[in-house]
Amino acid sequence: MLGSYRAEVLKLRKRSAVWVLFGAGLVLSLIFGYLLPYVGYATGDENPQTDGVPRGEILRGMLPERVMDNTIGGYPIFAGALALVLGAIVVGGEYTWGTLKTILTQRPGRGTVLASQFLALATMIAIWVLGIFAACALCSIGIAAAESGSMDWPGVTAILEGLAGGWLVLMMWCLAGAVLAVAFRNVALPIGLGVVWILGIETLLAGVVSSLLPDLDVVSNALPGTNAGSLVFSVTGMVAADAPPGVRDAVGGGRALLTLLAYCAIFAVLAVWTTRRRDVT
Amino acid sequence: MTPAGRRADQALTGSLDGMNETGAPLVEVTGLTKRYGDTLAVDGVDLTVLPGEVYGFLGPNGAGKTTTLRILTGLIAPTSGDVRVLGGAPGQPDVLGRTGSLIESPAFYPYLSGLDNLRLLAEYAEVPRRKVDEVLELVDLADRARDRFSTYSLGMKQRLGVAAALLKDPELVILDEPTNGLDPAGMRDMRRLIRELGSDGRTVLLSSHLLGEVQQICDRVGIINSGRMVAEHNVEELRGEQELVVRAAPRERAQSILTDFLGAGAVHQYDETLRVKVQPEKAAEVNRILVEAGIAVSELHSTERALEDVFFELTSEEKADVG
């Protein structure tokens, strides 16, 4: 198992697409968390971007005390989509390149290979989350220093909860991408379907249910994106008005945590079960 | 008998050093069937590969060779039949750890170098990293080992595939068309490599379209056609008895002289020639006897059948039967 894990990490570490996705996630976090708000803050009250939001509030949103909001606030939607792409390209690539047959004719069993793949993805996602956190922390320090803002930080527990919650959200979407890749034995189709689901269908469903079919909120509250948004909302403690798209208090933090863990388990078991049963042609 | 043929015979009696003492088959397939919907890809195949032999697995495209080899490596599950590889079920970690394989085209990660591809396979297979350098040297790829796999020529990819198959120092090597894409020099090297594997006491199951090569390298061959095994024999047995073709005048007198010399039944007439059941090395003697008797010999050659002739005979018969 350890050998298979090391092999998977080597594959991920040397694959430029993995770092491109990580870079995109990081840059988007910085643009939406710091660059655009800072431009809005610096250009003054007259700017339409700050309409109705006091400059002091904008600054507060960029200071170290709100670093977790900016680190994981985008995870349920855009970083989640990137994580899904990551899962799809890593697992789907084995089918499109035909490398699945190469690794399955070595020593480890199919379950071990897939488990190692998921473990390696979990490791890389942890590195990704930490990287985004470090970049956001540096930005917030810079802004606090430049604007003589407060250098207060969230407590260690709050930071750890935030990082762990963010990791779980990305891991869930990554496994969703992986199971779609196993199902379709491909890369393009899982990415297309997954991204459309995250960016469009789930938001649309939630909107329709809340406005037209409120009795069906039990369905929308069970969806992965809703629970991802609820977990992020819970661990960051942000107010609803400040929350980025996809982050809302639809279900409680505890329920969201359990639902996301269940999704992770279901996706992983489905992927392993399918891989073990199916012929590799 | 070829040296390889002798090895196989020794293997049967368990006399080869370091080999399976009982001479029990390393691959034993009985009644193997694989069905995809309405298509029967493999139909009741029986196949036995003995320890230490180089076994040629032949058949036209779509005959079921690769499907059978995929079943042997655990990549696909048989619909029915009994399959034992190295005493276990195909695809078990213990069996895979003792089997090296190259199935169909070599598949590697295009963004990694050849070296990194083998390193990660070494991690999966739990073999020491030094083996990577050894096999790269063996297939003459050490100079290009740090280049990306995507930049390799077809022949280099094939050699990397063979290197990967040898990484585990396997008892059983399964090679599916290993000479595909190789230039003549590469094919010669591959032939030499496969011979060396055989003479090291390894068992090789080789699928190839190059019948001349199989004839040179293999001890036994199995021929599969339309999913069915149509022959499984020692190469020499399969090629059958050799004959001399003699065109001589007067023919009747030549036949009489040769019958006196070789015995009744050794000579028969075929078209305008005589067919003489005798080893080709006796050709000079046959010629001398006829010439000394005043017979004019205008043609004398061996009718040694190539494996290719046998292959086409068996596969075309099968097609005719099916049709």
Side-chain angles (χ1 to χ4, degrees), chain A residues 38 60 102 131 179 199 270:
Chain A
Y38 190 74
R60 258 194 68 211
T102 307
V179 76
L199 299 182
L270 260 180

Side-chain angles (χ1 to χ4, degrees), chain A residues 197 201-211 213-230 248 250-251 255 259 263:
Chain A
W197 175 269
I201 294 174
E202 201 170 330
T203 316
L204 201 64
L205 269 177
V208 168
V209 166
S210 70
S211 59
L213 302 162
D215 291 344
L216 285 182
D217 65 345
V218 65
V219 175
S220 66
N221 286 348
L223 297 175
T226 306
N227 286 277
S230 296
R248 63 197 178 97
V251 297
R255 179 177 155 181
T259 310
Y263 270 118

Side-chain angles (χ1 to χ4, degrees), chain A residues 145-240:
Chain A
E147 303 299 332
S148 305
S150 162
M151 282 286 186
D152 290 343
W153 289 85
V156 175
T157 313
I159 290 176
L160 290 178
E161 274 181 2
L163 294 176
W167 173 86
L168 184 61
V169 167
L170 294 187
M171 196 60 208
M172 186 272 296
W173 284 125
C174 181
L175 288 171
V179 76
L180 285 171
V182 169
F184 294 110
R185 287 183 267 202
N186 202 320
V187 172
L189 192 56
I191 290 177
L193 288 178
V195 170
V196 166
W197 175 269
I198 295 180
L199 299 182
I201 294 174
E202 201 170 330
T203 316
L204 201 64
L205 269 177
V208 168
V209 166
S210 70
S211 59
L212 299 175
L213 302 162
D215 291 344
L216 285 182
D217 65 345
V218 65
V219 175
S220 66
N221 286 348
L223 297 175
T226 306
N227 286 277
S230 296
L231 185 67
V232 168
F233 187 87
S234 162
V235 294
T236 52
M238 59 177 75
V239 291

Side-chain angles (χ1 to χ4, degrees), chain A:
Chain A
M1 177 76 179
L2 189 61
S4 303
Y5 170 72
R6 280 200 298 254
E8 292 298 336
V9 170
L10 172 69
K11 273 156 50 178
L12 292 177
R13 200 163 47 82
K14 297 229 170 183
R15 189 166 179 179
S16 53
V18 171
W19 297 107
V20 168
L21 288 173
F22 284 10
L26 192 145
V27 168
L28 287 172
S29 292
L30 296 183
I31 288 176
F32 289 109
Y34 295 96
L35 182 64
L36 295 181
Y38 190 74
V39 170
Y41 166 78
T43 51
D45 280 334
E46 291 74 30
N47 190 294
Q49 280 181 311
T50 63
D51 187 28
V53 184
R55 290 180 72 221
E57 270 306 302
I58 298 174
L59 180 61
R60 258 194 68 211
M62 295 183 286
L63 294 178
E65 65 180 298
R66 302 279 291 277
V67 68
M68 292 318 297
D69 297 15
N70 294 324
T71 301
I72 66 171
Y75 284 13
I77 300 278
F78 76 80
L82 295 174
L84 184 137
V85 172
L86 176 69
I89 62 164
V90 167
V91 175
E94 305 287 2
Y95 290 94
T96 52
W97 289 326
T99 43
L100 190 63
K101 76 172 180 198
T102 307
I103 55 177
L104 291 184
T105 49
Q106 301 310 310
R107 190 186 295 268
R110 297 184 183 196
T112 307
V113 167
L114 226 56
S116 310
Q117 239 161 19
F118 295 158
L119 210 56
L121 282 167
T123 307
M124 295 305 278
I125 285 176
I127 291 169
W128 190 17
V129 171
L130 288 174
I132 293 175
F133 171 70
C136 288
L138 284 175
C139 284
S140 64
I141 290 170
I143 289 171
E147 303 299 332
S148 305
S150 162
M151 282 286 186
D152 290 343
W153 289 85
V156 175
T157 313
I159 290 176
L160 290 178
E161 274 181 2
L163 294 176
W167 173 86
L168 184 61
V169 167
L170 294 187
M171 196 60 208
M172 186 272 296
W173 284 125
C174 181
L175 288 171
V179 76
L180 285 171
V182 169
F184 294 110
R185 287 183 267 202
N186 202 320
V187 172
L189 192 56
I191 290 177
L193 288 178
V195 170
V196 166
W197 175 269
I198 295 180
L199 299 182
I201 294 174
E202 201 170 330
T203 316
L204 201 64
L205 269 177
V208 168
V209 166
S210 70
S211 59
L212 299 175
L213 302 162
D215 291 344
L216 285 182
D217 65 345
V218 65
V219 175
S220 66
N221 286 348
L223 297 175
T226 306
N227 286 277
S230 296
L231 185 67
V232 168
F233 187 87
S234 162
V235 294
T236 52
M238 59 177 75
V239 291
D242 287 350
V247 178
R248 63 197 178 97
D249 190 21
V251 297
R255 179 177 155 181
L257 174 68
L258 291 176
T259 310
L260 290 186
L261 285 172
Y263 270 118
C264 284
I266 290 166
F267 292 153
V269 168
L270 260 180
V272 172
W273 182 76
T274 311
T275 306
R276 289 181 72 165
R277 281 178 53 88
R278 209 161 47 188
D279 287 345
V280 179
T281 53

